[in-house]
Amino acid sequence: MVKGSDLLVEALSHEGVDRVFGVPGEGNLDVLESLRNSKIEWVLTRHEQAAAFMAATYGRLTGRPGVCIASRGPGALNLSTGAAYAHLGAMPMVMITGQKAIMSSREGRFQLVDVIASTKPLTKLSRQIVSSVSIPTLVRDAFRIAMEERPGPVHLELPEDIAADEIEPVPMVPVHPIEIPVAHRAALDRAAEIILGAKRPLIMLGAAASRLRSAHGIAGFVHRTGIPFFTTQMGKGSVPGGTSLYIGTTALSERDYVHEAINQADLIIAIGHDTIEKPPFIMGPKGPHVIHVSYTPATVEQVYFPHAEIVGDVGPSLELLADRVEGKLPNAKALLPLRQSILDRVSDHATESLWPITPQRLVHDVRKVIPENGIVALDNGMYKIWWARNYCTYVTNTLLLDNALATMGAGLPSAMMAALLYPDRRVMAVCGDGGFMMNSQELETAVRLKLNLVVLILNDGAYGMIRWKQAVRNLSDFGLTFGNPDFVRYAESFGAKGARVMSVDALVPTLEAAFMEGGIHLVDVPIDYSENTRVLVEEFN
């Protein structure tokens, strides 16, 4: 005989799950015991939200669903922000929560929350397991749905009595490959005709362009056509940023340096654009023609309404499109002369020795200590705009930022996941002081897991992005400043190392020393955001 929880864990192993993140509770003690007797690594976090962020980032980096577990009631509800993070960010993830017994209960309605109803808007599927016999089938279905385009989170609820139920062994459901069809020939012909007639074409790479499965085909299309490209924030790294065809990243929806090229384009080939991101450009009646290339049809919005669509497996579909236009585009590089001017303005002031450090200098110096395959995971704050603009990416998914839910608190758990997956690569979390404190307890988790990770805290004593927007709207400076702990001593209290940067020239040596020593290092650096007004407002007025 086997318990329902044993079947669940066996089904997870059958799907190739190697680690599970979470916080146990009264509602899932049987699952915890089954995990103890399995080969799956149990990663205990200090909050369920962090477990969900880590599982979602696992999905983002590997293309396979990460798995997180929480108990019933408040524990299950604490996964909600992580579910939304994965849902908007298209990250495959499976959430498993406990629930009170459904056959009988001596606790009345204690901790009884309808988690199925609460998670339905945040997931691709949310189901309660009502029979232990069905567990292998439901787990297989959950993983399939989580991975299908558009990827995202799936939720399974396992009541206590179903988890403890003893039955005869049930066979696992075989895993079968599912291929995505390529785009229809008519769609490819239509798009090719539009491209061949363009005078000033431009390629845009969006969030879905960062899927591991599409990287080769996208890079090939860019190089075979010779058309210059820009990226959205979440599309950075889809094609190496150092290529001579890269002309920038849209950190803003309009009036950014790269919009000089966007506004002159008569055609934008939008590869992998997902409207969960802030618009990289605002479409209007007089704007350029747009070809939507992605795994799924375009979501038509007031700001995005493509004129043609190529829907299918992006990489192979682009190879077929390149076959139709390669060598036939005399105007391919029409907008390329704008490139150097755009990039020069982006990198302006990047080596200034002002103190506190400016965002441009900060990004410049971090890039010096992070190798091409190193990973930087951003939390959410004012600095994200500067990283999107100024940080050059060479490898897909080496700048992990969230321009979808754009939640604070995800930076540290995301970096921890990257450090777990890639222990031999340099990994850095970049967090504002506000966002860091939302999940700072996970420093203990990182120390316990013996990770190699540098956490860079940008200290301005405020919720800086909102404070800046408050100022731009000429509102009073109110309600957004706070006090901070001594971050060095705070890190040391968790068993990590702490350092405080006291001059602009000390940042690179401090970061380099932290990486060389290994372990968990927190580096506290003050930052001056006065450049925001000059660069993001005054230059475009």
Side-chain angles (χ1 to χ4, degrees):
M1 303 290 283
V2 295
K3 294 193 302 183
S5 59
D6 295 330
L7 277 176
L8 174 73
V9 171
E10 184 183 356
L12 295 178
S13 294
H14 185 67
E15 295 290 340
V17 174
D18 55 1
R19 52 174 64 95
V20 170
F21 311 90
V23 179
E26 189 176 352
N28 56 12
L29 284 176
D30 282 302
V31 174
L32 190 66
E33 177 65 12
S34 296
L35 282 169
R36 184 181 70 84
N37 293 312
S38 75
K39 294 182 179 179
I40 296 176
E41 179 186 359
W42 167 245
V43 180
L44 175 69
T45 61
R46 301 304 298 270
H47 195 284
E48 292 88 352
Q49 187 184 96
F53 286 146
M54 293 183 75
T57 304
Y58 180 96
R60 178 178 187 173
L61 291 173
T62 68
R64 304 188 306 276
V67 180
C68 56
I69 287 182
S71 187
R72 65 195 190 194
L77 293 175
N78 280 341
L79 295 177
S80 297
T81 304
Y85 177 73
H87 191 49
L88 269 67
M91 307 174 198
M93 177 171 75
V94 173
M95 305 184 300
I96 300 169
T97 62
Q99 186 53 282
K100 296 170 70 72
I102 56 175
M103 301 301 180
S104 64
S105 174
R106 301 178 62 177
E107 294 184 334
R109 301 187 65 82
F110 174 69
Q111 284 195 328
L112 185 59
V113 177
D114 190 345
V115 179
I116 298 294
S118 72
T119 55
K120 274 188 176 178
L122 304 175
T123 59
K124 297 179 72 177
L125 175 74
S126 184
R127 293 186 65 173
Q128 184 183 70
I129 300 173
V130 298
S131 167
S132 49
V133 174
S134 67
I135 288 174
T137 299
L138 293 179
V139 170
R140 174 80 285 269
D141 206 35
F143 276 75
R144 179 184 62 84
I145 292 171
M147 294 179 68
E148 283 178 346
E149 289 291 339
R150 183 176 179 268
V154 172
H155 169 235
L156 295 177
E157 181 179 84
L158 182 63
E160 295 170 36
D161 50 353
I162 304 301
D165 186 30
E166 293 190 354
I167 62 171
E168 295 291 335
V170 179
M172 296 295 107
V173 178
V175 178
H176 66 283
I178 301 176
E179 305 300 337
I180 302 174
V182 297
H184 194 283
R185 182 185 304 168
L188 292 165
D189 290 341
R190 186 181 304 113
E193 183 179 355
I194 295 173
I195 295 171
L196 290 170
K199 298 259 191 309
R200 297 176 303 281
L202 197 58
I203 292 172
M204 182 186 81
L205 304 177
S210 293
R211 305 268 207 281
L212 294 177
R213 63 180 300 133
S214 58
H216 176 74
I218 291 174
F221 179 77
V222 169
H223 291 296
R224 288 176 66 185
T225 61
I227 299 173
F229 72 94
F230 69 100
T231 77
T232 68
Q233 293 187 37
M234 294 181 73
K236 285 183 72 73
S238 307
V239 173
T243 175
S244 59
L245 294 172
Y246 170 73
I247 63 171
T249 295
T250 52
L252 306 171
S253 298
E254 55 189 345
R255 301 194 310 166
D256 204 347
Y257 297 135
V258 73
H259 284 96
E260 181 179 353
I262 295 171
N263 294 338
Q264 293 187 36
D266 64 345
L267 171 66
I268 295 178
I269 306 168
I271 301 174
H273 180 45
D274 193 328
T275 57
I276 52 93
E277 287 203 78
K278 279 190 174 181
F281 62 94
I282 307 293
M283 288 187 65
K286 298 181 181 179
H289 277 71
V290 172
I291 299 173
H292 174 83
V293 184
S294 196
Y295 297 97
T296 55
T299 301
V300 175
E301 306 277 0
Q302 180 182 357
V303 296
Y304 187 69
F305 42 89
H307 304 86
E309 295 189 66
I310 295 177
V311 179
D313 198 351
V314 169
S317 296
L318 285 175
E319 290 177 1
L320 294 174
L321 183 59
D323 290 341
R324 288 164 164 78
V325 300
E326 185 176 12
K328 305 174 184 177
L329 301 174
N331 300 316
K333 293 182 171 60
L335 293 174
L336 196 58
L338 299 174
R339 175 180 186 268
Q340 198 57 52
S341 172
I342 293 169
L343 296 183
D344 285 347
R345 279 177 286 167
V346 166
S347 61
D348 189 31
H349 296 263
T351 56
E352 279 191 335
S353 297
L354 300 177
W355 187 256
I357 198 167
T358 61
Q360 302 100 307
R361 178 64 185 266
L362 180 79
V363 176
H364 173 271
D365 284 3
V366 168
R367 180 71 276 185
K368 289 171 68 173
V369 301
I370 300 292
E372 290 189 0
N373 71 342
I375 296 175
V376 172
L378 300 185
D379 205 87
N380 205 68
M382 192 69 241
Y383 48 88
K384 186 176 74 171
I385 292 175
W386 294 97
W387 243 269
R389 269 183 166 182
N390 291 50
Y391 190 80
C392 192
T393 48
Y394 302 97
V395 179
T396 303
N397 286 324
T398 52
L399 180 63
L400 304 181
L401 57 77
D402 171 22
N403 195 33
L405 184 64
T407 177
M408 300 171 75
L412 176 58
S414 295
M416 289 163 56
M417 185 68 256
L420 263 176
L421 281 173
Y422 309 112
D424 297 327
R425 292 160 69 171
R426 287 191 174 185
V427 179
M428 175 185 289
V430 177
C431 307
D433 44 5
F436 170 72
M437 290 302 293
M438 292 186 179
N439 267 314
S440 63
Q441 74 281 348
E442 300 306 330
L443 276 180
E444 188 279 328
T445 308
V447 171
R448 175 167 28 93
L449 294 174
K450 296 181 171 59
L451 300 180
N452 293 315
L453 175 65
V454 173
V455 183
L456 183 63
I457 306 297
L458 310 184
N459 194 337
D460 68 337
Y463 293 117
M465 176 174 278
I466 308 306
R467 192 183 189 195
W468 173 70
K469 290 188 176 183
Q470 193 178 56
V472 168
R473 294 179 57 186
N474 295 315
L475 299 172
S476 297
D477 186 357
F478 175 76
L480 293 168
T481 60
F482 46 71
N484 281 317
D486 182 326
F487 283 122
V488 173
R489 294 173 64 190
Y490 189 70
E492 292 171 350
S493 73
F494 285 106
K497 302 289 180 65
R500 183 171 292 109
V501 176
M502 303 300 291
S503 69
V504 68
D505 293 328
L507 178 61
V508 169
T510 301
L511 294 177
E512 187 65 38
F515 278 119
M516 291 298 292
E517 183 176 353
I520 304 298
H521 288 258
L522 186 149
V523 177
D524 177 11
V525 57
I527 188 165
D528 179 7
Y529 281 131
S530 61
E531 279 288 272
N532 295 335
T533 300
R534 180 185 71 82
V535 175
L536 303 181
V537 178
E538 293 173 356
E539 285 196 5
F540 293 99
N541 286 336

